[in-house]
Amino acid sequence: MKKQNSFYIYVIVLISTFLQNQTSVAQGCVAIKGNATSCMMIHPDSTNVAGWQLSTSGRYFRSFRHFSGTEENKQRLIQKTEVINYTSVFNLSLTRTLNNRWSIMIDIPVSNNVRSSLYEHGLVNGAYIKKERHSTSSFGIGDIRFAAYRWLLDPTKSTKANIQLGLGLKLPTGDYNYKDYSYNVGPNGTKELRPVDQSIQLGDGGTGITFELNTFYNFIENFGVYGNFYYLINPREQNGTRTYRETLSPNLANEAIMSVPDQYMFRAGFNYSFSHIKGVSLAAGTRIEGIPVYDLIGASGDFRRPGYIWSIEPSVNYDYKKVTVFASVPFAVARNRTQSVTDKENSDIRSTHVQGDAAFADYTINVGVSTRF
């Protein structure tokens, strides 16, 4: 029975490795970075005194639907002026189980991003010098994260339910001033090497602290619920990277530098393990991930795209001996690009409501493999 219950814990843990985010990104221009992709690396078998777990996971999405608040700007698609982000994130995570209560983890994200747009290539003070669609891209290691985890209850006794807390440190290892060429923006309409958009920067430039809470409860042997919460505190206000948004309009002068925002994720759902199909389990739940308007610590000015995305998240896992293959596809059901601090400042200055937009994806594809040794 103890072995059977530890398997359910393992299933919940493996589902949890699919935070991914950062990207993303909250799946688009709301820039959640890849360090959030495997924030739930709980040790997989509570009966082990010590051991290792290596997890590799990949995330892909295409964001193209523009929202300002909860309203979609469908005219962007009709007029073909939408911004399209193609984001792929690969995460390599290594977890060391110290004993039946404690574990430590390191997560290394590598991302490849391509951004296709019109307005970043020739739009000056609200008018196009030359209206052409071009792409910018970025590739490399993101912000590396370390974390330590502890079960609050003794896993050898509390096999039906438990709570785990995690505390981590995110380092600014990802390039937060990655550059590529913008076209029709230099003298006489020439191209110019500039920082890529915030949504495809490899890092945010901040040293952050991560807080996590993971929990599960099994109603019966093969059916239960799970919950995960993750929050990244970024005390730094801005990273000094120029956005060039002030060249689009003088009204955007307060958005000339990139912000270093907090980010968060919450997910919960149900998990079912098949008794007649050995090693196969399914899960279905909901998740919300996003960027807050105001950070918990420090100021929240400069340019950011705050917002969130609600998704329905089905998952499937297959466990064979010490290897598990897993996949999930969160489908967006609600998207909201909230009003930023700079939007509110501009609303006061212009005596009218100002609220920027952001592009979101319809769904995300997550796949991965986890191995114990």
Side-chain angles (χ1 to χ4, degrees):
M1 181 68 68
K2 188 178 295 183
K3 183 177 180 181
Q4 183 78 3
N5 280 317
S6 67
F7 170 73
Y8 299 142
I9 297 174
Y10 185 41
V11 169
I12 295 171
V13 170
L14 292 171
I15 296 172
S16 301
T17 59
F18 278 119
L19 178 48
Q20 303 265 10
N21 162 290
Q22 271 31 314
T23 128
S24 131
V25 264
Q27 301 186 16
C29 288
V30 177
I32 301 224
K33 301 303 175 186
N35 66 79
T37 55
S38 44
C39 68
M40 309 300 175
M41 299 301 295
I42 316 167
H43 55 81
D45 192 335
S46 62
T47 62
N48 285 345
V49 174
W52 293 91
Q53 176 181 311
L54 178 66
S55 294
T56 58
S57 59
R59 183 188 204 195
Y60 170 80
F61 65 83
R62 171 179 173 265
S63 63
F64 64 99
R65 295 191 185 277
H66 285 257
F67 284 78
S68 182
T70 58
E71 295 296 321
E72 182 182 359
N73 187 351
K74 297 181 180 180
Q75 287 297 115
R76 296 289 295 269
L77 294 176
I78 296 173
Q79 298 169 357
K80 300 187 183 301
T81 61
E82 77 277 17
V83 174
I84 308 172
N85 277 9
Y86 302 89
T87 297
S88 302
V89 181
F90 172 82
N91 274 76
L92 179 65
S93 302
L94 183 64
T95 301
R96 171 64 175 177
T97 302
L98 303 177
N99 51 48
N100 68 348
R101 289 283 186 111
W102 287 93
S103 58
I104 55 176
M105 182 274 296
I106 179 175
D107 175 63
I108 304 174
V110 179
S111 62
N112 180 50
N113 310 284
V114 177
R115 178 180 175 85
S116 171
S117 70
L118 279 168
Y119 83 90
E120 293 165 320
H121 304 280
L123 184 63
V124 177
N125 293 330
Y128 281 102
I129 295 175
K130 191 175 183 181
K131 195 170 183 179
E132 292 180 342
R133 179 176 289 273
H134 289 279
S135 296
T136 53
S137 62
S138 62
F139 174 80
I141 293 176
D143 290 346
I144 297 174
R145 193 171 66 89
F146 300 88
Y149 300 91
R150 188 181 191 275
W151 291 105
L152 297 186
L153 304 177
D154 186 348
T156 60
K157 299 177 181 179
S158 300
T159 56
K160 188 174 183 179
N162 212 331
I163 299 174
Q164 187 190 56
L165 297 180
L167 180 65
L169 179 67
K170 182 195 72 68
L171 301 177
T173 53
D175 190 349
Y176 54 90
N177 193 24
Y178 196 101
K179 295 182 174 67
D180 199 358
Y181 284 101
S182 294
Y183 291 81
N184 309 315
V185 295
N188 301 317
T190 58
K191 65 181 181 180
E192 191 173 281
L193 193 63
R194 292 182 175 183
V196 298
D197 185 78
Q198 186 179 49
S199 62
I200 64 170
Q201 288 288 343
L202 300 177
D204 59 30
T207 298
I209 301 172
T210 60
F211 293 92
E212 301 170 59
L213 186 149
N214 310 296
T215 186
F216 71 92
Y217 181 87
N218 291 325
F219 297 107
I220 56 177
E221 287 188 358
N222 63 339
F223 181 71
V225 294
Y226 64 88
N228 309 124
F229 173 78
Y230 169 90
Y231 195 96
L232 166 65
I233 294 177
N234 264 324
R236 187 177 185 182
E237 181 179 10
Q238 52 106 325
N239 58 26
T241 300
R242 188 177 174 187
T243 65
Y244 284 86
R245 291 181 65 80
E246 77 282 4
T247 67
L248 307 179
S249 170
N251 295 327
L252 300 178
N254 59 349
E255 297 186 349
I257 304 297
M258 293 185 188
S259 175
V260 183
D262 290 359
Q263 58 182 257
Y264 61 88
M265 187 281 309
F266 173 78
R267 61 197 298 275
F270 297 90
N271 172 253
Y272 177 78
S273 179
F274 291 95
S275 56
H276 59 287
I277 307 177
K278 187 176 180 181
V280 177
S281 64
L282 299 177
T286 183
R287 66 188 283 161
I288 182 174
E289 50 189 319
I291 297 290
V293 176
Y294 298 101
D295 293 342
L296 287 182
I297 299 176
S300 308
D302 300 288
F303 178 66
R304 70 173 68 184
R305 296 184 182 96
Y308 59 84
I309 180 169
W310 276 103
S311 301
I312 298 299
E313 182 180 22
S315 305
V316 60
N317 300 266
Y318 176 68
D319 180 71
Y320 179 74
K321 294 183 179 179
K322 295 185 177 182
V323 177
T324 297
V325 180
F326 42 95
S328 72
V329 184
F331 292 91
V333 293
R335 286 155 282 199
N336 187 352
R337 199 298 203 174
T338 51
Q339 190 182 33
S340 67
V341 170
T342 53
D343 288 336
K344 294 177 181 180
E345 291 173 350
N346 289 330
S347 295
D348 292 338
I349 294 172
R350 298 161 61 182
S351 299
T352 185
H353 183 79
V354 175
Q355 188 165 350
D357 70 346
F360 293 87
D362 286 336
Y363 60 88
T364 305
I365 300 173
N366 304 308
V367 293
V369 178
S370 180
T371 304
R372 293 169 291 165
F373 57 94

